[in-house]
Amino acid sequence: MAGETLYGRGVELQRVDGFVRGVRKRGGALVLRGEAGIGKSRLLQEGRRIAAGEGILILSTAGVEAESRMPFAGLHKLLRPVLGRAEALPAPQRDAMLGAFGMVGAAAPDLFLIALAALNMVGDTTTDGAAMLIVEDAHWLDSATADILGFVARRLEADPVVLLAAVRDGFPASFGADLPELRLERLDEAAAAAVLDARAAGLRPGTRRRLLQEAAGNPLALVELSIGAGTVAPQPRLTDRLETAFAARAATLPAVTQTMLLVAAINEGDGLSETLSAAALVTGGAATTDDLAPAVAAALIEVDDDRVRFRHPLMRSAIHQRAGIGRRLAVHAALARMFADQPSRGIWHRAASCQGPDEEVAADLERAATLARGQGAMMSALSALERAARLTADPGRRVARLLRAAETAVELGRHDVVSRLVDEASALELSARQRAQLLWIGASFGGGLRDEHRRPAAVSAVAEQVAADGHVDVALRLLNGAALRSFWTGSDARGGHGIVEVAEALPIGRDDPDLVAILAFAAPIERGAVVIDGLRRSAARAGGDVEALRLVGSAAVIVGAFDLAGTCCAGALAGLRAQGRLGLLARALGAQAWSAAHLADLNVGIPAAEECTRLARETSQPLFVGIGQATAAVLAALRGDEAGTQELAAAADQSAMSGGVRPVLATAQLARGLLALGTGRYASAYEHLLRMHQPYDSSFHPALRCFALAELADAAVHSGHREDVTEVMAEMELLGRRTPSPALHGGLRHARAVLAGDDEAEPLFEAALRVDAGRWPFTRARAQLAYGQWLRRQRRVADSRAPLRAARDTFDTLGTIPWGEQARQELRAAGETSRRQTVEARDRLTAQELQIAQMAAEGLTNRQIGERLYLSHRTVSSHLHRIFPKLEITSRSELGAILGRAG
């Protein structure tokens, strides 16, 4: 209890004390982790006491096992005291938050929009002070609340808000693995003895030794086992011993008190009135607060105003587990009747009270799953679908619900659950559509299917069959998954051909964004002309459909139409941000960063790559974590940042190596080659870049190698390997006849010029220079640099200066520092001096600072920037306070001019 001495916890208490008292200087999160009874709750109480003494607003919640399937239950408890502040939020956030709690009839919002609303509500409570969020038993929070609080916890640094949470050993990190943890170990011998003597002085020596030995330094065990010293038989586990002790204590209470305790243990809420009402339904008579007095006296519960709380979660589980099945069913039935007007609560108790199949309950659970999914509470949706399937007698309906549950588990990344559900569904009779659905699940995640069933040829065959049966939507999903798998693995060209044949036979328009994307990912070279021809029509057809724009943008990247890719991705971003669809936002940012890197558009690429990586990690998309890291490595190489390039490329390799994700490995290799090329280490550059063209190398990708041809040619010429790339050039020329890819043909024109003999080179250079400088400035500037170098070698020094000068100016504008320095060196050799390169704004700022500065320069307020980037307005303000000194300015009105010079 608060006020008692905490023996053996001096270091931990000091950490919590400093964490809480420092809130006005810096926010953050701290997770207390340890076994049951180790003292986490006591440290939370100490944190609460310190916060109260400091005048800090305290908001608290607790995970309850029974409510872990109810979306936003924990969040509602946490924010209940400040819900009135929701009205001050921007309309989309306000409606998202109130809609999640069923307070308005808003359309189902994305989870991350609710998370942003929670972040702003918590931050806005601190106008005149600070706030502390306390989360007890975080491992039993509903998944939606856990995801939201993890999102909030990672964004508190600039706000006077701290989050202190407790998680029990044996459970995964509730808020992700990247938050600071304070681990509580068992007490040493002296501290354990002090705890026991303080609670049970005068024990017989033998009893005292036995208790110290059995408790083994666990504080709760020392306290609770001493209450029944000499009566509790040892059990295999400490948790079992404690639960046995608690159950034995409860067994001595009056029958009505035991019933009320069971109601409180099973009910997901802690309302006293709910406990009294449900207990009356079970017993058929009245139940009063006086009936709870024996449980309070037995130190099992605390009754505070209108709340009933167990003194420790193990007490709740002990009472629940030791009750007979008949008593538990009766309590669930009573709670179901009591919550008949609250479907989201009542349905779970109705399901728990069923002793056999019940289609009405199963259908209600399926509807609850749809609602939970719309709210972003995927774990709740999965639980509802699984339970619905268990209560379904009809085999066809049961299969349908099992497969819906398996698809949900795929999205959650739960391999164990996917495999179990797929095995169960596979044992039942499946329709053709369900077999296709099962195959899609396997192609997406494995799901226990044999590998040959996931191969493109097998997927294509099933897609063709289900399309013939009229299920074109399922066929598209199958083909899309297979095409993506083909692209990410960079293998099985024949399988890709099968995907194309089936996709092109579907009864959909040639400019359908799904079809364009499938063709781009399955056959970017073979169908390059078809894709490029359909891209602009697809983009126009997409209109305001952000998902369609994202698909078209991704397809454009794969076929090397980087200028169009950037336009489409930019068009999708605003809508995805507004809708809170951070998973898709990460993908769109990845495509935007990739295209910007190839265009050397650092102002767009640097912040996009950083945000892609951050959001992909937060939304559990490891492929796009790798893409973000590898693309950031390319951008660092373009700036000449050697340490950054190497670090990011290594991180990308680590992200991709276990899965053999070739696009990530190829992009990381391109970054290393560019770095070496920019700094004049041509032999090293040649070795790195050649690997992208060697089929046996993990960096080889049949499509992405097409976009590194100019770099390979430059490295070969300067390192004495001109003749060694003849075979690669012949291969690329053949591919160039099959696709009009702008990036490939730009590379071919450059490579032909630099690899040609002196008597053939000039017209080839002139052809290379006929590129649209407005859309492809880096490509043209590199051709100008190469042409100027060639002219100087031909002793046409005066002629060389103009292209070199133009190249220098473009490189300086783009911020590609190494290439600008190369142009300066060539100009010096041609007898012309250049002004020194200036350090641009982008080179002084972090990626996120650059992004915030760009938005501020556009005239957005701190709150508007926070809404776009899913940050609190205080975090934005904190960034701007760091940005101004770095740029040597004093106000945001100066940002436009200085960033304009960097662009």
Side-chain angles (χ1 to χ4, degrees):
M1 300 298 294
E4 295 180 353
T5 302
L6 269 175
Y7 295 100
R9 293 292 185 223
V11 172
E12 294 87 346
L13 186 55
Q14 186 176 15
R15 174 89 178 269
V16 170
D17 185 275
F19 175 70
V20 176
R21 294 186 196 277
V23 63
R24 290 184 174 88
K25 295 181 180 177
R26 176 174 177 157
L30 181 63
V31 176
L32 309 178
R33 179 176 281 279
E35 65 180 349
I38 203 65
K40 302 183 296 296
S41 297
R42 282 288 289 111
L43 276 179
L44 288 182
Q45 290 172 6
E46 285 299 310
R48 179 187 291 271
R49 180 186 62 78
I50 295 164
E54 292 287 310
I56 297 170
L57 173 69
I58 300 170
L59 302 173
S60 61
T61 190
V64 178
E65 189 172 14
E67 69 180 9
S68 61
R69 297 165 300 192
M70 293 182 57
F72 310 111
L75 184 68
H76 186 263
K77 275 192 277 188
L78 181 77
L79 297 180
R80 187 163 46 197
V82 295
L83 265 182
R85 294 183 178 268
E87 293 301 326
L89 294 170
Q93 296 177 42
R94 179 194 64 222
D95 293 345
M97 176 64 73
L98 298 181
F101 296 153
M103 298 170 68
V104 298
D110 189 278
L111 188 72
F112 292 103
L113 196 58
I114 303 169
L116 179 59
L119 176 65
N120 285 325
M121 282 179 65
V122 170
D124 286 346
T125 64
T126 65
T127 302
D128 301 315
M132 180 178 185
L133 313 180
I134 297 176
V135 186
E136 179 113 35
D137 295 320
H139 46 278
W140 278 333
L141 286 172
D142 61 277
S143 62
T145 295
D147 288 343
I148 286 169
L149 291 184
F151 176 98
V152 170
R154 283 185 284 273
R155 289 164 171 79
L156 290 178
E157 182 178 341
D159 290 83
V161 180
V162 291
L163 182 149
L164 188 64
V167 177
R168 187 189 298 180
D169 276 350
F171 291 85
S174 301
F175 310 128
D178 55 340
L179 295 182
E181 285 194 353
L182 174 59
R183 176 159 190 82
L184 275 64
E185 304 292 352
R186 294 192 174 196
L187 300 177
D188 61 26
E189 187 175 344
V195 171
L196 183 59
D197 293 342
R199 293 303 300 262
L203 290 173
R204 293 179 180 179
T207 301
R208 183 175 182 276
R209 282 195 300 273
R210 178 175 63 81
L211 287 174
L212 286 170
Q213 182 177 5
E214 287 187 9
N218 183 287
L220 183 66
L222 288 162
V223 172
E224 299 297 339
L225 295 182
S226 67
I227 296 174
T231 64
V232 180
Q235 298 292 326
R237 295 186 308 150
L238 176 61
T239 302
D240 291 335
R241 293 201 294 276
L242 288 169
E243 289 190 348
T244 300
F246 297 143
R249 202 183 307 169
T252 65
L253 302 178
V256 66
T257 306
Q258 291 187 45
T259 297
M260 295 177 79
L261 285 176
L262 183 57
V263 168
I266 289 177
N267 185 21
E268 64 278 357
D270 58 3
L272 175 60
S273 60
E274 292 177 357
T275 298
L276 296 176
S277 299
L281 288 173
V282 175
T283 62
T288 70
T289 54
D290 291 340
D291 294 316
L292 286 173
V296 175
L300 290 170
I301 61 171
E302 297 172 344
V303 179
D304 179 16
D305 297 328
D306 60 345
R307 299 277 178 259
V308 178
R309 297 184 182 87
F310 286 91
R311 291 185 62 249
H312 195 277
L314 286 179
M315 296 174 182
R316 179 191 289 269
S317 61
I319 290 165
H320 185 277
Q321 294 299 327
R322 299 310 194 274
I325 183 66
R327 291 181 63 211
R328 292 204 299 269
L329 289 173
V331 169
H332 279 298
L335 289 168
R337 287 169 57 195
M338 195 172 74
F339 296 135
D341 61 340
Q342 299 180 48
S344 62
R345 297 182 70 180
I347 185 57
W348 290 103
H349 293 295
R350 285 176 63 202
S353 66
C354 291
Q355 300 186 57
D358 189 315
E359 178 56 31
E360 182 181 351
V361 174
D364 285 345
L365 280 168
E366 193 167 20
R367 283 189 285 272
T370 300
L371 176 62
R373 184 183 183 88
Q375 295 172 318
M378 301 299 289
M379 278 300 300
S380 298
L382 174 59
S383 297
L385 288 168
E386 276 206 80
R387 183 61 178 151
R390 304 284 175 264
L391 295 176
T392 304
D394 179 79
R397 287 179 178 171
R398 188 175 189 190
V399 168
R401 287 164 179 161
L402 286 170
L403 292 179
R404 278 194 66 194
E407 287 186 352
T408 305
V410 167
E411 294 184 57
L412 286 165
R414 292 293 304 273
H415 184 278
D416 54 335
V417 178
V418 174
S419 297
R420 172 167 51 78
L421 293 170
V422 163
D423 287 345
E424 190 171 344
S426 299
L428 300 172
E429 186 175 349
L430 304 174
S431 67
R433 190 183 195 283
Q434 288 170 337
R435 284 196 298 274
Q437 193 177 1
L438 191 68
L439 186 61
W440 175 83
I441 292 168
S444 299
F445 202 73
L449 294 180
R450 295 190 302 276
D451 191 61
E452 59 267 26
H453 291 166
R454 301 174 60 206
R455 289 176 180 161
V459 176
S460 300
V462 175
E464 186 173 28
Q465 180 182 346
V466 296
D469 292 339
H471 303 301
V472 176
D473 59 331
V474 178
L476 278 171
R477 290 177 66 190
L478 282 169
L479 294 170
N480 189 280
L484 286 171
R485 188 167 184 261
S486 174
F487 173 77
W488 287 109
T489 58
S491 58
D492 196 359
R494 283 181 296 179
H497 296 158
I499 295 169
V500 168
E501 288 178 10
V502 175
E504 291 185 328
L506 294 176
I508 57 177
R510 298 302 87 186
D511 56 357
D512 183 283
D514 284 293
L515 177 60
V516 170
I518 288 169
L519 298 181
F521 281 99
I525 303 298
E526 297 83 352
R527 285 298 184 273
V530 175
V531 172
I532 290 170
D533 183 55
L535 280 174
R536 297 191 188 279
R537 292 199 308 275
S538 297
R541 171 179 169 172
D545 184 342
V546 295
E547 170 59 359
L549 278 174
R550 186 194 67 80
L551 279 173
V552 174
S554 297
V557 169
I558 304 312
V559 296
F562 299 126
D563 53 339
L564 179 61
T567 301
C568 290
C569 291
L573 292 177
L576 293 171
R577 290 187 192 281
Q579 295 168 15
R581 301 168 73 182
L582 298 197
L584 291 180
L585 178 60
R587 298 184 179 201
L589 286 164
Q592 184 187 48
W594 219 353
S595 59
H598 282 283
L599 295 172
D601 188 345
L602 304 183
N603 286 341
V604 169
I606 289 170
E610 186 277 336
E611 192 179 7
C612 166
T613 304
R614 178 162 41 85
L615 294 182
R617 188 175 282 118
E618 198 154 41
T619 54
S620 302
Q621 299 184 89
L623 284 179
F624 283 88
V625 171
I627 282 296
Q629 291 168 330
T631 307
V634 171
L635 292 158
L638 290 170
R639 299 167 74 186
D641 178 1
E642 180 151 8
T645 302
Q646 299 293 4
E647 181 181 348
L648 288 162
D653 282 348
Q654 189 172 4
S655 297
M657 193 61 76
S658 60
V661 186
R662 288 179 180 266
V664 174
L665 297 171
T667 305
Q669 201 62 26
L670 172 61
R672 295 186 179 97
L674 276 169
L675 179 69
L677 191 63
T679 52
R681 302 195 301 268
Y682 297 112
S684 176
Y686 176 75
E687 291 175 6
H688 286 304
L689 295 165
L690 186 63
R691 288 181 55 186
M692 296 178 66
H693 294 272
Q694 296 173 326
Y696 55 81
D697 194 280
S698 60
S699 303
F700 172 83
H701 190 279
L704 299 193
R705 63 177 175 155
C706 297
F707 312 143
L709 187 56
E711 291 81 0
L712 178 66
D714 280 344
V717 167
H718 289 287
S719 63
H721 291 88
R722 185 189 301 264
E723 302 301 323
D724 298 334
V725 294
T726 303
E727 187 175 336
V728 171
M729 276 297 296
E731 204 173 335
M732 292 295 103
E733 293 284 6
L734 286 174
L735 296 182
R737 297 190 189 110
R738 304 175 72 181
T739 175
S741 165
L744 172 58
H745 282 275
L748 280 169
R749 287 190 294 269
H750 185 103
R752 290 180 194 126
V754 299
L755 293 171
D758 289 341
D759 55 340
E760 302 171 334
E762 188 150 21
L764 294 175
F765 274 117
E766 290 171 353
L769 289 168
R770 284 195 292 270
V771 65
D772 185 342
R775 294 162 60 193
W776 301 82
F778 188 60
T779 300
R780 190 167 194 273
R782 290 186 56 194
Q784 289 169 330
L785 173 61
Y787 184 39
Q789 290 171 326
W790 180 82
L791 287 169
R792 196 177 63 79
R793 288 198 308 271
Q794 302 304 306
R795 302 184 186 280
R796 295 167 58 183
V797 175
D799 293 340
S800 72
R801 292 172 187 154
L804 290 172
R805 196 180 303 126
R808 177 202 62 198
D809 293 344
T810 300
F811 292 140
D812 286 355
T813 299
L814 293 172
T816 50
I817 297 169
W819 280 267
E821 184 55 35
Q822 287 182 22
R824 279 174 168 74
Q825 291 174 359
E826 291 291 336
L827 279 168
R828 280 196 295 272
E832 182 174 311
T833 59
S834 305
R835 60 176 174 80
R836 295 180 60 186
Q837 294 190 64
T838 58
V839 178
E840 299 291 359
R842 74 173 75 83
D843 301 312
R844 307 179 206 174
L845 305 178
T846 67
Q848 192 169 68
E849 287 172 349
L850 175 60
Q851 190 173 31
I852 289 171
Q854 290 169 338
M855 291 183 176
E858 292 172 15
L860 273 65
T861 66
N862 290 358
R863 286 187 182 275
Q864 289 170 329
I865 295 170
E867 288 170 30
R868 289 197 184 186
L869 299 184
Y870 284 72
L871 302 171
S872 77
H873 63 87
R874 282 191 174 86
T875 297
V876 174
S877 176
S878 176
H879 277 296
L880 285 170
H881 278 101
R882 290 194 291 268
I883 289 167
F884 289 173
K886 288 184 178 182
L887 299 184
E888 300 177 358
I889 61 176
T890 57
S891 71
R892 62 201 303 145
S893 63
E894 300 174 76
L895 284 169
I898 195 166
L899 291 176
R901 292 200 302 271

